[in-house]
């Protein structure tokens, strides 16, 4: 493993060096700054901004004349500014591309020789939306919103700002807290925020029913499309999030667009050198030490920028003996190869160690005897002794991205990546200690892949096509073991190795029907192939295989996924959309975890059909996003033995319909105070029975108050999650989960001014302010009854946690 990791490191470093050397050759600029002697004609200038309203440097700007077809290009500077002078008067098309962002195009731009034009281009995230900007500058209410929709969105989206992540989440947060306050979502962290592998639920979809991406790259487990994001992307790595509650369009790639996409973005690079060092201490003896270096522009002509972060987190955790430790490093590098081509490289390495058992919660009996925070014992004579329950998870994630404007309206964004997950877990049974009561468990995989979207802008609209390709190697086993010595038994409970090939080609055309109306039809092919080798075991899974050492089989899945949406600009600050899209989810690898690994009928991927309509409106004091949705979706597979052969036959558990309404708003009250509101109401029920899908709240409501004045920033956010249900085996709506609230408070004081220490900051974070410790999940002890029993496993909200963080920020560029 270490040799493979080192080879990838060396390849990435060599690639960066080669590209940097190639880019150091000076290329003649294709644009002239305004005011250059000997020039005449119209001048086009402007600024390029990200979804949070911050400047984007090294963006490629192309201007094309409608009359002559002539093309001029330039790059945005460190402040996101650009200018092109000496343009003949006439009508132009402008297109902007930048690493990590979608190509953005504005047509019908009329330039006059005697009137300089100054515009603002707001970029959206690559592989999420590729839209035309329709507003000049972001209004005040939009700039201060922790989460909001986009005027260019073609589906129900919430764009969550970098400012919210930095100021209004815990210093040890993961993505679940980043999107916690978004419409319709909820998650819980029984061991405390950021101190466990938390999952997010929305619209009746659980983890594994939606895609998570980082800078457009999908990442997921290989046995199911679930995620371990806390082991890949802690809050320090996240610079914003675009939460798309839909299958998206054809160009939205991912292993399971079944429910939607959570699109995490890496941190933006600054324009001036800054060094930050942070120390944090809080409840449950939680300690965080973090150091960050942002280089600003450096190298020949200032074409390079670099951001590095390293941190260590340790915590006892809220639950007894559930210790956590995380060491992490990340680096992001950007280089402008030319006026039309830029390169971005990213790498991260994380090492997580924890004492979490395989059973994620205490029983009712344990809670009654020991309290809400009970999980593991400190006594080696107990079966749940913490020394018998631990795991070690090293991960790495790397990509190199080259974005280029090819001219004549064509652009390409090629992103090659690799990442690895290696979860070595040891745990013991809950009732006994013996030579086989423990389990030695491994879940590991390495992936390599490529994303290559290509777009072409013309008078008719924007054509997009591309391919997501990926190959994964997986090794998984569970072997009985003695927890006192960790000597394994001769045969495993199961052992499998498999390779997965993923291909998703797509094409869509965003047609400019009128200046206000755009219609985008598209189609995508989702293709998967899995090559399995399953080894003989002790009878727990595939059995002895009639004396054979292993058995091989191949599974192939494919689905055609069409999409269609229309976006209409009613006014410069008001847009509306309608959308239809198909999503899919492939069966888990456990399909073959049956005797002799024989499956008579290979199950097919499950699909969703999503219909949505919504509207986004922004003004100086108010943003408002409203959407309504209707989703028909198929659920997990179940199996039953064939009466004739005894072999398992797989079938769908039943289709369901989710429907409802969501709304999100940010109101600028005045005096530095703003109010954030969102609410959802709806249902998620099985078609045949009318019973509720588990973990689907009937309603949610969020109230946020944000105060920003001078050096102070205060955020108070409270979310109510309505009544929902848990299943009991195959019995739906068996356990009622009462409504509960999540309330968090954050107080920030940041030094401002011309001092070198202008970014020094003190932050107070209080999670679960009112110390609510509700039961948020129940796994009944028996499938025969849902009556509360001592053996029921409970998920309970962690108690209130408080942390204080002190950050020293030093800017080398200031006096």
């Amino acid at each position: 493993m270490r040799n493979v990791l080192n080879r990838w490191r060396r390849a990435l470093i060599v690639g960066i060096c080669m590209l940097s050397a190639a880019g150091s050759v000076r290329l003649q600029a294709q644009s002239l700054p305004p005011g250059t002697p000997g020039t005449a004609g119209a001048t086009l200038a402007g600024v390029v901004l990200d979804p949070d309203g911050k400047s984007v440097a090294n963006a490629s700007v192309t201007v094309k004349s409608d009359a002559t077809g002539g093309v001029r290009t330039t790059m945005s500077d460190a402040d996101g500014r650009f200018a092109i002078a000496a343009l003949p008067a006439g009508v132009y098309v402008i297109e902007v591309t930048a690493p990590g962002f979608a190509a953005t195009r504005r047509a019908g731009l009329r330039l006059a020789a005697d009137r300089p034009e100054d515009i603002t281009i707001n970029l959206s995230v690559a592989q999420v939306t590729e839209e035309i900007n329709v507003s000049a500058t972001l209004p005040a209410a939009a700039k201060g919103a922790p989460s909001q929709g986009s005027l260019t969105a073609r589906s129900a989206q919430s764009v969550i700002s970098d400012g919210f992540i930095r100021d209004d989440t815990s210093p040890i947060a993961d993505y679940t807290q980043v999107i916690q306050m978004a419409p319709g979502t909820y998650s819980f962290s029984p061991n405390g925020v950021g101190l466990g592998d938390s999952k997010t639920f929305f619209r009746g979809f659980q983890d594994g029913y939606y895609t998570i991406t980082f800078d457009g790259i999908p990442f997921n487990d290989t046995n199911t499309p679930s995620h371990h994001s806390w082991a890949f992307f802690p809050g320090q790595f996240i610079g914003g999030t675009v939460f798309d509650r839909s299958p998206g369009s054809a160009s939205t790639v991912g292993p399971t667009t079944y429910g939607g996409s959570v699109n995490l973005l890496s941190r933006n690079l600054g324009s001036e050198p800054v060094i930050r060092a942070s120390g944090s201490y809080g409840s449950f003896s939680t300690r965080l030490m973090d150091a960050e270096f942002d280089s600003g522009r450096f190298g020949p002509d200032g074409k390079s920028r670099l951001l590095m972060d390293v941190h260590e987190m340790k915590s006892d955790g809220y639950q007894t003996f559930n210790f956590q430790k995380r060491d992490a490093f990340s680096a992001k590098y950007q280089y402008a190869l030319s006026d039309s081509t830029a390169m971005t490289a990213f790498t991260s390495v994380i090492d997580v160690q924890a004492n979490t058992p395989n059973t994620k919660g205490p029983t009712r009996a344990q809670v009654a005897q020991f309290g809400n925070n009970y999980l593991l014992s400190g006594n080696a004579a107990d079966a749940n002794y913490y020394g018998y329950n631990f795991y070690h998870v090293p991960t790495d994630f790397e990509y190199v991205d080259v974005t280029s404007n090819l001219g004549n309206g064509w652009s390409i964004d090629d992103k090659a990546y690799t990442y690895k997950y290696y979860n070595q877990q040891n745990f013991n049974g809950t009732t006994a200690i013996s030579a086989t009561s423990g389990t030695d468990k491994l879940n590991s995989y390495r992936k390599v892949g490529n994303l290559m979207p290509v777009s072409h802008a013309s008078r008719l609209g924007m054509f997009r096509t591309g391919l997501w390709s990926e190959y994964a190697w997986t090794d998984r086993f569970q072997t009985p073991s003695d927890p006192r010595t960790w000597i394994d038994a001769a045969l495993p409970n199961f052992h499998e190795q498999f390779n997965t090939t993923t291909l998703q080609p797509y094409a869509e055309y965003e047609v400019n029907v009128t200046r206000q109306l755009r219609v985008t039809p598209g189609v995508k092919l989702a293709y998967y192939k899995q090559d399995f080798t399953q080894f003989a075991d002790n009878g727990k899974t595939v059995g002895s295989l009639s004396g054979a050492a292993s058995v091989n089989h191949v599974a192939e899945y494919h689905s055609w996924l069409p999409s269609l949406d229309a976006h209409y600009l009613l006014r410069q600050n008001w847009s509306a959309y309608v959308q239809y899209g198909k999503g899919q989810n492939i069966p888990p690898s456990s399909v073959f975890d049956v005797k002799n690994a024989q499956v008579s009928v290979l199950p097919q991927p499950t699909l969703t059909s999503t219909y949505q309509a919504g509207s986004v409106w922004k003004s100086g004091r108010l943003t408002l996003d409203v959407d309504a949705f209707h989703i028909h979706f198929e659920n997990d597979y179940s199996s039953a033995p064939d009466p004739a052969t005894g072999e398992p036959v797989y079938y769908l558990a039943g289709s369901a319909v989710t429907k409802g309404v969501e709304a999100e708003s940010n109101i600028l009250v005045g005096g530095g105070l703003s109010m954030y509101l969102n609410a959802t109401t709806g249902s998620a029920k099985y078609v045949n029975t009318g019973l509720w899908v588990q973990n689907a709240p009937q309603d949610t409501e969020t109230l946020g108050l944000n105060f920003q004045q001078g050096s102070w920033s205060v955020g108070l956010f409270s979310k109510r999650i309505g009544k929902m249900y848990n299943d009991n085996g195959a019995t739906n709506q068996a356990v009622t989960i009462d409504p509960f609230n999540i309330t968090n408070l954050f107080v920030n004081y940041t030094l401002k001014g011309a001092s070198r220490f202008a970014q020094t900051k003190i932050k107070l974070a209080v999670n679960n302010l009112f110390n609510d410790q509700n039961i948020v999940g129940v796994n009944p002890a028996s499938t025969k009854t849902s009556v509360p029993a001592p053996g029921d496993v409970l998920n309970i909200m962690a108690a209130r946690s408080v942390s204080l963080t002190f950050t020293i920020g030093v800017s080398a560029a200031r006096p």
Side-chain angles (χ1 to χ4, degrees), residues 35 71 77 84-85 96 103 127 150 237 486 576 616 755 786 789:
V71 175
D77 63 16
I84 300 178
V96 180
Q127 298 299 315
S150 167
F237 293 4
W486 293 113
V616 179
S755 167
S786 298

Side-chain angles (χ1 to χ4, degrees), residues 469-486:
S469 57
E470 184 180 88
Y471 192 79
W473 301 265
T474 302
D475 187 13
R476 302 175 67 238
F477 64 74
Q478 292 187 24
T479 304
S481 188
D482 189 330
R484 297 159 296 191
T485 62
W486 293 113

Side-chain angles (χ1 to χ4, degrees), residues 50-72:
D50 66 12
D52 192 29
K54 296 184 178 180
S55 61
V56 177
N58 293 332
S60 175
V61 181
T62 298
V63 178
K64 181 178 180 181
S65 170
D66 275 4
T68 67
V71 175
R72 299 280 298 278

Side-chain angles (χ1 to χ4, degrees), residues 191-258:
N191 198 38
V193 171
L195 299 177
D197 196 3
S198 302
K199 307 297 183 184
T200 289
F201 303 84
F202 64 92
R203 290 186 175 180
F205 296 112
Q206 61 185 350
D207 185 75
Y209 282 9
Y210 52 84
T211 289
I212 299 182
T213 69
F214 184 80
D215 280 353
I217 298 171
F219 74 97
N220 62 285
D221 215 329
T222 51
N223 55 309
T224 68
S226 58
H227 312 92
H228 306 282
S229 59
W230 75 308
F232 280 101
F233 305 112
Q236 287 79 4
F237 293 4
I238 304 173
T241 299
V242 178
F243 180 21
D244 188 346
R245 298 179 297 279
S246 81
S249 68
S251 62
T252 305
V253 298
T256 171
T257 54
Y258 194 68

Side-chain angles (χ1 to χ4, degrees), residues 536-552:
D537 58 40
N538 57 16
K540 283 284 184 75
T541 307
V542 300
S544 64
L545 300 178
S546 302
S550 62
V551 63
N552 299 91

Side-chain angles (χ1 to χ4, degrees), residues 153-157 566-567 575-579 612-616 626-627:
R154 293 145 48 198
S155 60
Q157 293 184 2
H567 180 277
S575 65
Y577 61 85
V578 293
Q579 176 199 26
Q612 292 192 136
S615 184
V616 179
V626 180
D627 67 87

Side-chain angles (χ1 to χ4, degrees), residues 327-674:
D327 297 297
F329 168 81
S330 71
K332 180 179 178 181
Y333 173 74
Q334 286 185 349
Y335 183 78
L337 292 163
S338 71
D339 287 344
S340 59
T341 303
M343 183 271 292
T344 302
F346 178 89
T347 183
S348 67
V349 181
I350 295 183
D351 188 276
V352 174
Q353 299 182 57
N355 280 102
T356 306
N358 204 52
T359 301
K360 302 304 182 183
T363 65
R364 288 189 190 273
Q366 290 170 332
V367 169
Q369 182 177 1
F370 301 111
N372 287 346
N373 69 328
Y374 185 78
L375 185 68
L376 291 170
S377 167
N379 185 349
D382 293 335
N384 67 331
Y385 173 54
Y386 75 90
Y388 303 150
N389 295 272
F390 54 91
Y391 63 82
H392 181 207
V393 188
T395 66
D396 66 85
F397 188 97
E398 294 85 23
Y399 73 77
V400 175
D401 178 34
V402 178
T403 302
S404 183
N405 190 324
L406 305 177
N408 296 319
W410 289 96
S411 62
I412 188 170
D413 184 356
D414 190 23
K415 188 174 294 180
Y417 67 90
T418 180
Y419 62 92
K420 181 175 184 178
Y421 179 77
Y422 192 90
N423 183 346
Q424 176 66 60
Q425 183 180 4
N426 296 77
F427 62 90
N428 191 45
T430 59
T431 59
I433 303 172
S434 70
T436 57
S437 63
T439 299
D440 181 3
K441 176 182 176 181
L442 176 69
N443 179 19
S444 69
Y445 54 83
R446 162 69 71 183
K447 294 188 177 187
V448 295
N450 185 264
L451 281 165
M452 191 175 64
V454 178
S455 63
H456 179 256
S458 69
R459 296 180 182 180
L460 296 178
M462 178 77 75
F463 172 71
R464 305 180 188 92
T465 187
L467 172 67
W468 172 43
S469 57
E470 184 180 88
Y471 192 79
W473 301 265
T474 302
D475 187 13
R476 302 175 67 238
F477 64 74
Q478 292 187 24
T479 304
S481 188
D482 189 330
R484 297 159 296 191
T485 62
W486 293 113
I487 297 175
D488 289 352
L491 291 174
N493 291 332
F494 84 90
H495 184 194
E496 64 183 12
Q497 296 174 343
F498 58 92
N499 303 327
T500 306
T501 303
T502 302
L503 297 173
Q504 285 191 11
Y506 63 85
E508 65 180 35
Y509 206 120
E510 184 177 342
V511 181
N512 298 328
V513 180
T514 68
R515 289 184 63 113
Q516 291 78 30
L517 176 63
R518 292 174 290 130
V519 177
T520 309
V523 66
K524 171 174 55 193
L525 172 64
Y527 170 84
Y528 304 89
K529 179 182 178 182
Q530 293 178 311
D531 297 275
F532 285 91
T533 298
Q534 290 187 275
F535 299 91
D537 58 40
N538 57 16
K540 283 284 184 75
T541 307
V542 300
S544 64
L545 300 178
S546 302
S550 62
V551 63
N552 299 91
H553 36 255
V554 176
E556 291 187 72
Y557 310 98
H558 71 274
S559 302
W560 287 99
L561 305 174
S563 67
L564 177 66
D565 62 71
H567 180 277
Y568 190 79
L569 178 63
L570 290 91
R571 297 179 182 174
Q572 286 296 102
N573 65 332
W574 185 15
S575 65
Y577 61 85
V578 293
Q579 176 199 26
Y580 164 77
K582 296 284 285 188
Q584 56 81 42
N585 199 8
I586 66 169
S589 64
S590 57
V591 164
F592 294 98
D593 290 347
V594 294
K595 291 298 181 286
N596 297 315
Q598 294 179 352
V599 179
S600 57
V601 177
L602 183 69
Q604 294 302 304
T606 53
L607 302 174
T608 55
S609 297
T610 299
Y611 303 85
Q612 292 192 136
S615 184
V616 179
W617 187 77
K618 299 179 188 292
S619 72
R621 290 194 172 273
L622 175 70
T623 70
L624 177 61
D625 324 322
V626 180
D627 67 87
F629 58 91
H630 184 283
I631 307 170
H632 182 276
F633 66 97
E634 300 162 352
N635 292 274
D636 279 337
Y637 288 96
S638 297
S639 65
D642 185 291
T645 65
E647 296 181 359
V649 176
Y650 282 84
Y651 60 92
L652 294 173
S655 61
V657 170
T658 294
K659 56 186 177 182
V661 178
E662 302 167 331
E664 183 176 29
S665 179
N666 196 64
I667 304 170
L668 188 60
V669 178
L673 179 65
S674 62

Side-chain angles (χ1 to χ4, degrees), residues 754-768:
S755 167
R756 289 187 184 274
F757 298 94
Q759 298 192 40
T760 297
K761 177 178 178 179
I762 299 176
K763 176 178 181 176
L764 173 68
V766 185
N767 289 93
N768 193 3

